[in-house]
Amino acid sequence: MVFLTFPCLIRNRGPDRYWKVQELLKNARHFRGRKNRCYSLAVRAVRRAFVYATKGRQLKRRTMRTLWISRIAAATRELGLKYPVLVDNLVKSSVQLNRKVLSDLAINEPRTFQSLAKLAQARQQEGFRAALGSGSEPPGVLSRVVLLQ
Amino acid sequence: MTARGTSSRFLQSVLQNGVGRYVCQLKRISLIFSKNAQSSLGARNFIEEGVVDYAKKNPGTVVYISPEPCRIPRLVAEYLNGNVREEKITGKTSQEISDLVTKLTNQSGLDIIRIRKPYHTDSPSIQGQWHPFTNRLPSVGPIRPPGKEAST
């Protein structure tokens, strides 16, 4: 760069620096320490926060599902069953309740959950009879699956 | 853009609005436009055609029309809980403005931020929430310290 006069050397950098800085700092206001005030520290902290937020969206789905499963498992073990047995037999009886609803029932509607556990147990017994029995007994009531055409 | 960095609220209706009688939450709607500018053409057409029918259909909402020299015509909606929403109607047609006005009428005045859960209930449990004694038979007996049998 060859500037013949000093006025040509001065550059006008732009009028918006304050607002661009504030737009980034507003995402850092609830941080701890100098990261919530100083721009250079805040840039790095805000970028990490956004990366964690992106990764957290997948993690949230996974953690919620594990939470529901552990709650349903605890509730079924109290009633004398196990979680895989419950889920397997509910699926075979075409009860299409997902884990979220089942955990909600286990907490807020304990009698309904008890009846679902009994249903699963009955279906399990029918399965055992069908597999181990002689074949002369009639098939169980809950094993009849309706296929809608 | 993070969940903790942005505000959020739970789903709610304003004072259980629909349970008894439904009260329209839009208190006042002011249409600020210019008498001669090009951007207010849609606003002027809306005033010619649609505003009187709208005001008749919504007797609980006060409609203010203020022609003043302004570059951008605005629609200012005030709600019963005090929130004020401003919408710019630059270059919109009369039909678009009337759709916008219907949208503002149907809104409650609550903030438009992330809603944490898409459902809400005041009575989540009908059969009674689970507690450790729900499924515990009284014949099991109270919890005793384990050293009792060893001491005999």
Side-chain angles (χ1 to χ4, degrees), chain B residues 40-112:
Chain B
S40 316
L41 181 65
R44 278 175 258 135
N45 289 338
F46 176 66
I47 289 166
E48 265 177 54
E49 315 159 358
V51 112
V52 183
D53 300 325
Y54 170 77
K56 285 209 180 109
K57 260 200 293 189
N58 305 70
T61 312
V62 187
V63 182
Y64 287 91
I65 306 288
S66 21
E68 53 185 49
C70 64
R71 286 193 72 171
I72 28 157
R74 300 189 315 269
L75 208 56
V76 180
E78 290 172 59
Y79 290 91
L80 287 174
N81 60 1
N83 284 358
V84 178
R85 258 198 91 182
E86 240 191 61
E87 302 263 351
K88 298 195 190 118
I89 47 177
T90 334
K92 288 204 159 80
T93 58
S94 169
Q95 177 61 38
E96 284 170 15
I97 294 176
S98 87
D99 291 337
L100 189 59
V101 157
T102 336
K103 183 186 93 160
L104 289 171
T105 324
N106 293 335
Q107 278 178 356
S108 73
L110 300 163
D111 312 318
I112 300 181

Side-chain angles (χ1 to χ4, degrees), chain A residues 21-78:
Chain A
V21 162
Q22 288 307 307
E23 212 179 295
L24 187 119
L25 282 177
K26 79 167 187 265
N27 290 317
R29 284 302 175 205
H30 62 289
F31 290 173
R32 199 186 203 201
R34 272 194 274 182
K35 311 194 278 267
N36 60 24
R37 297 186 289 281
C38 309
Y39 181 76
S40 336
L41 303 174
V43 162
R44 291 172 234 155
V46 164
R47 177 175 263 251
R48 299 199 92 201
F50 286 176
V51 169
Y52 289 145
T54 315
K55 287 192 209 161
R57 273 175 240 136
Q58 277 185 355
L59 274 182
K60 182 179 179 180
R61 286 184 271 276
R62 287 180 218 165
T63 21
M64 292 297 274
R65 193 175 157 116
T66 30
L67 178 69
W68 296 328
I69 290 174
S70 52
R71 283 182 176 170
I72 298 167
T76 50
R77 272 165 200 262
E78 204 194 11

Side-chain angles (χ1 to χ4, degrees), chain A residues 30 78 107-112, chain B residues 5 125-128 130 134-135:
Chain A
H30 62 289
E78 204 194 11
I107 296 169
N108 286 319
E109 248 75 55
R111 301 287 166 241
T112 312
Chain B
S125 179
I126 306 288
Q127 295 169 0
W130 183 90
T134 328
N135 291 328

Side-chain angles (χ1 to χ4, degrees), chain A:
Chain A
M1 308 186 292
V2 178
F3 294 107
L4 296 173
T5 50
F6 180 68
C8 295
L9 182 60
I10 302 169
R11 296 187 293 160
N12 191 357
R13 302 293 291 282
D16 296 318
R17 187 187 301 166
Y18 172 75
W19 290 283
K20 289 184 185 169
V21 162
Q22 288 307 307
E23 212 179 295
L24 187 119
L25 282 177
K26 79 167 187 265
N27 290 317
R29 284 302 175 205
H30 62 289
F31 290 173
R32 199 186 203 201
R34 272 194 274 182
K35 311 194 278 267
N36 60 24
R37 297 186 289 281
C38 309
Y39 181 76
S40 336
L41 303 174
V43 162
R44 291 172 234 155
V46 164
R47 177 175 263 251
R48 299 199 92 201
F50 286 176
V51 169
Y52 289 145
T54 315
K55 287 192 209 161
R57 273 175 240 136
Q58 277 185 355
L59 274 182
K60 182 179 179 180
R61 286 184 271 276
R62 287 180 218 165
T63 21
M64 292 297 274
R65 193 175 157 116
T66 30
L67 178 69
W68 296 328
I69 290 174
S70 52
R71 283 182 176 170
I72 298 167
T76 50
R77 272 165 200 262
E78 204 194 11
L79 298 167
L81 272 186
K82 286 192 186 171
Y83 169 82
V85 169
L86 176 86
V87 169
D88 195 33
N89 293 106
L90 282 184
V91 162
K92 285 183 194 164
S93 322
S94 63
V95 172
Q96 288 164 344
L97 292 173
N98 59 2
R99 284 141 189 88
K100 176 168 109 172
V101 167
L102 279 173
S103 73
D104 199 49
L105 289 175
I107 296 169
N108 286 319
E109 248 75 55
R111 301 287 166 241
T112 312
F113 192 79
Q114 197 172 29
S115 55
L116 282 171
K118 286 208 177 109
L119 174 77
Q121 210 163 29
R123 178 67 183 79
Q124 190 191 31
Q125 297 307 316
E126 277 179 24
F128 289 158
R129 261 181 282 142
L132 306 164
S134 54
S136 55
E137 293 150 19
V141 173
L142 300 167
S143 318
R144 287 185 228 157
V145 175
V146 178
L147 292 164
L148 297 165
Q149 240 105 46

